[in-house]
Amino acid sequence: MNKKTVRDLRPDELRGKRALVRVDFNVPLDEKGNVMDDTRITAALPTVKFLLERGARVILMSHLGRPKGKPESKYSLEPVGRRLQQLMPGVPICFVESTDSDEAQKCTRDAKNQVVLLENTRFLGGEESNDPRLARALAELGDLYVNDAFGSAHRAHASTEGLAHQLHPAVAGLLMEAELRYLGEALSQPKRPFVAVLGGAKISGKIDVIENMLPKVDRMLIGGAMACTFFKAMGLETGKSLVENDRVDMARTLVKRGGEKLVLPDDALVAPSLESASAAHAVKRDAIPKDQAMFDIGPVTCARFQREIEAAKTVIWNGPMGVFETPPFDAGTAAVAKALASATKRGATTVVGGGDSAAAVAQLGLESAMTHVSTGGGASLEFLEGKTLPGVAALDDRN
Ligand code: ADP
Ligand code: MG
């Protein structure tokens, strides 16, 4: 990676210094404000521990939800602070309610406070508009900037992008580094065969991913509802399936351009509706009934995809193969996840990107069976589209 990380800093750049660390603590909360899933909190701990062990003090900041530039109690990071304290029992964590006040200044200057958590950055006007005045005010709180919020790196906000121009050194944290390494190496120097598995609801959201990856991969396996738009382009009956009519021409072009590389499902699991899942049955792709919809790839396709994945040396997977939230339409997604797990065991590099795909892998308990599961939904998608992430671009270059 051509960006500096915390591991590139000299001991004197960390000892006794205030490291202002942008993390992604945008976690789901229940009605009572309890943290429902702390994956993103635990994912930031290696960076926090790395900095503490080298004598730095750690000032954490994150957004949560979508407050509109002013405080809203339901989006407070206080419950996140409590969970963080449970995860790091030996380290006193000080929560600071207002980021832009004297209190924040005082608290972050007090050397006793080893870890400080600042209130939601989106409570501040200027965060989302990337106001340089806010970035300068935040820069006052630290001696160096660490960005470990891969999940927010596709947004140019004051705490993710602006700050990297105001405070130096500005470096990547360990999570950010891992995300960029796994996604980046898979894309730029894949061991072959290199297989992409794409699915999800809409082809429109993934067109740029398909365009960017098609020239790089040896095979592109297509599932999910987006397969139906391809079917329509091939002149097949799609019944009540989710089809994007305004993308049919585009799908036709991609089928032509993809040739042998592009592998579409041979069969489909169909039902009259999601409510009548018990009526689900498999049909060949040219026999989808007019009054039914495709909700998953069929068993023949599962076997084909499994063969392709298990023969691969690099696999990138984005997007579920079906409506995995509603069994039995989780079968295709489970088959793909298991194939990735066994490919990993055999030494292949397997990377999962996308919020729903990551959730499906977690639901199956297969997270640790993959080489890497990205914590950034939108950010990983933009990375696969070949876009530069502003939060990464702004960090210091490694000389
Ligand atoms: P990711 O978050 O991994 O990038 P997407 O957001 O693109 O994935 O797509 C996930 C959604 O796609 C899921 O909610 C799933 O139910 C839906 N989906 C997948 N296949 C189908 C299908 N055949 N018909 C309708 N919805 C589908
Ligand atoms: Mg999604």
Side-chain angles (χ1 to χ4, degrees):
M1 192 175 66
N2 62 346
K3 292 295 174 183
K4 269 196 184 165
T5 81
V6 283
R7 295 190 295 142
D8 294 316
L9 298 173
R10 294 185 315 266
D12 64 291
E13 290 179 290
L14 290 171
R15 179 149 301 281
K17 297 290 198 288
R18 296 167 302 159
L20 188 55
V21 188
R22 175 58 157 97
V23 288
D24 182 2
F25 284 171
N26 184 26
V27 295
L29 302 176
D30 67 14
E31 323 81 66
K32 288 190 193 132
N34 299 308
V35 175
M36 286 161 67
D37 178 353
D38 63 8
T39 311
R40 284 178 165 167
I41 305 176
T42 53
L45 294 183
T47 299
V48 175
K49 290 183 177 153
F50 181 96
L51 293 166
L52 289 176
E53 279 162 12
R54 282 155 188 79
R57 287 187 295 128
V58 176
I59 300 153
L60 299 168
M61 56 182 175
S62 174
H63 79 284
L64 175 78
R66 296 179 172 271
K68 292 272 171 291
K70 57 177 176 7
E72 252 184 273
S73 57
K74 68 170 171 180
Y75 295 124
S76 173
L77 276 174
E78 207 181 347
V80 173
R82 269 180 285 160
R83 177 59 65 93
L84 185 64
Q85 186 66 82
Q86 286 165 0
L87 292 167
M88 303 186 75
V91 185
I93 294 165
C94 162
F95 179 69
V96 179
E97 247 171 68
S98 51
T99 309
D100 55 353
S101 67
D102 297 344
E103 187 204 345
Q105 282 284 354
K106 217 171 92 226
C107 190
T108 52
R109 291 209 176 273
D110 189 342
K112 296 200 300 294
N113 294 324
Q114 284 191 305
V115 175
V116 174
L117 174 63
L118 302 176
E119 184 53 291
N120 195 336
T121 53
R122 288 194 186 165
F123 286 0
L124 304 168
E127 163 69 336
E128 293 190 60
S129 60
N130 198 4
D131 188 335
R133 281 170 303 182
L134 175 59
R136 277 195 294 273
L138 290 171
E140 293 292 313
L141 303 175
D143 303 310
L144 68 139
Y145 175 64
V146 179
N147 191 347
D148 212 21
F150 177 74
S152 307
H154 57 315
R155 312 241 186 258
H157 291 170
S159 68
T160 61
E161 201 270 351
L163 197 42
H165 298 290
Q166 306 292 345
L167 184 58
H168 296 281
V171 301
L174 299 175
L175 172 64
M176 175 75 94
E177 184 190 11
E179 292 273 9
L180 295 172
R181 191 176 68 233
Y182 287 121
L183 287 166
E185 279 176 10
L187 269 189
S188 64
Q189 38 191 302
K191 287 173 283 163
R192 293 182 183 277
F194 177 19
V195 172
V197 190
L198 298 179
K202 291 190 169 173
I203 191 173
S204 52
K206 308 268 164 104
I207 285 284
D208 292 340
V209 178
I210 300 176
E211 299 245 356
N212 183 45
M213 293 189 70
L214 200 51
K216 303 188 195 323
V217 300
D218 299 300
R219 281 270 190 279
M220 182 173 281
L221 315 178
I222 304 271
M226 74 160 96
C228 304
T229 302
F230 282 102
F231 287 168
K232 183 124 187 199
M234 293 155 69
L236 301 175
E237 172 64 55
T238 50
K240 297 198 299 184
S241 308
L242 185 60
V243 169
E244 287 172 278
N245 283 310
D246 56 339
R247 304 291 160 147
V248 173
D249 286 342
M250 197 174 262
R252 197 173 293 122
T253 313
L254 286 170
V255 169
K256 256 193 226 124
R257 205 194 310 157
E260 293 269 284
K261 271 191 188 180
L262 199 71
V263 183
L264 290 161
D266 298 303
D267 59 346
L269 206 57
V270 298
S273 69
L274 277 180
E275 291 69 45
S276 52
S278 56
H281 60 286
V283 296
K284 281 200 167 146
R285 70 181 181 193
D286 57 4
I288 296 176
K290 267 204 168 66
D291 58 349
Q292 303 200 20
M294 172 175 183
F295 291 121
D296 196 10
I297 55 175
V300 176
T301 309
C302 285
R304 166 89 200 265
F305 283 12
Q306 277 180 316
R307 275 199 308 279
E308 296 279 0
I309 293 164
E310 284 171 22
K313 292 253 166 54
T314 305
V315 187
I316 292 188
W317 175 25
N318 171 272
M321 295 293 101
V323 184
F324 73 100
E325 301 91 336
T326 313
F329 306 117
D330 56 345
T333 303
V336 162
K338 285 179 191 150
L340 259 79
S342 79
T344 319
K345 229 181 221 162
R346 284 192 1 264
T349 300
T350 55
V351 179
V352 184
D356 291 290
S357 320
V361 170
Q363 201 177 296
L364 289 158
L366 288 174
E367 273 161 314
S368 57
M370 309 294 168
T371 308
H372 182 67
V373 180
S374 178
T375 56
S380 63
L381 214 56
E382 291 202 18
F383 195 92
L384 298 180
E385 288 170 358
K387 290 196 184 131
T388 314
L389 307 177
V392 177
L395 297 175
D396 294 348
D397 287 321
R398 184 182 275 159
N399 312 318

